[in-house]
């Protein structure tokens, strides 16, 4: 599957626990087959794809895009993304109260459990 630009980025995402194949954490060289569901946490959003045709060797991105079906939810509108509060760089660690507020906000954005 070619969901990220380079192999090193893909293996880093796998090691970081951001990639799941059929609901289980994936290793960098895990094989995928027809009908497998691959979920990747990328740029703050979940991307969900289904494998249509497994590829035997590395191919270009346009060809790889034809080998999968994208079931990802649409990204939120830019107005919502812009309204998300961000901590100032160098502001230190959040207090206990701020941490609870951040957790509440994250759970509201995520919606149903993925």
């Amino acid at each position: 599957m070619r969901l990220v630009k380079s192999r090193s980025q893909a293996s880093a995402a796998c090691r970081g626990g951001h990639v799941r194949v059929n609901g289980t954490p994936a290793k960098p060289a895990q094989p995928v087959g027809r009908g497998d569901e691959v979920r990747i946490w990328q740029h703050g959003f979940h991307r969900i794809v289904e494998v249509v045709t497994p590829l035997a060797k590395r191919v270009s991105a346009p060809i790889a895009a034809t080998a999968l079906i994208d079931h990802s939810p649409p990204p939120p509108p830019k107005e919502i993304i812009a309204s998300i509060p961000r901590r100032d760089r160098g502001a230190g660690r959040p207090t206990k109260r701020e941490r609870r507020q951040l957790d509440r906000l994250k759970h509201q954005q995520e919606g149903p459990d993925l």
Side-chain angles (χ1 to χ4, degrees):
M1 296 295 309
R2 186 171 179 153
L3 299 176
V4 292
K5 190 171 181 179
S6 70
R7 291 179 88 149
S8 60
Q9 288 176 346
S11 62
C14 289
R15 282 193 309 272
H18 300 291
V19 180
R20 292 183 170 268
V21 175
N22 296 327
T24 60
K27 292 184 178 178
Q30 181 169 345
V32 293
R34 179 175 282 123
D36 285 348
E37 179 187 70
V38 180
R39 292 175 178 250
I40 182 168
W41 179 256
Q42 212 175 19
H43 307 294
F45 304 103
H46 275 100
R47 185 164 178 209
I48 305 165
V49 296
E50 178 185 345
V51 179
V52 176
T53 308
L55 302 171
K57 60 182 183 177
R58 286 179 53 89
V59 294
S60 65
I63 295 171
T66 63
L68 55 89
I69 299 173
D70 197 353
H71 295 293
S72 304
K78 291 185 179 184
E79 297 83 30
I80 293 176
I81 294 173
S83 69
I84 297 172
R86 304 242 185 251
R87 282 187 69 79
D88 293 333
R89 191 167 175 88
R93 293 178 58 174
T95 63
K96 191 173 185 177
R97 179 175 179 232
E98 291 171 338
R99 168 54 62 196
R100 279 190 244 118
Q101 290 172 347
L102 286 171
D103 287 342
R104 256 186 258 123
L105 183 64
K106 284 181 184 178
H107 291 299
Q108 286 177 356
Q109 287 177 348
E110 289 176 2
D113 229 0
L114 293 177

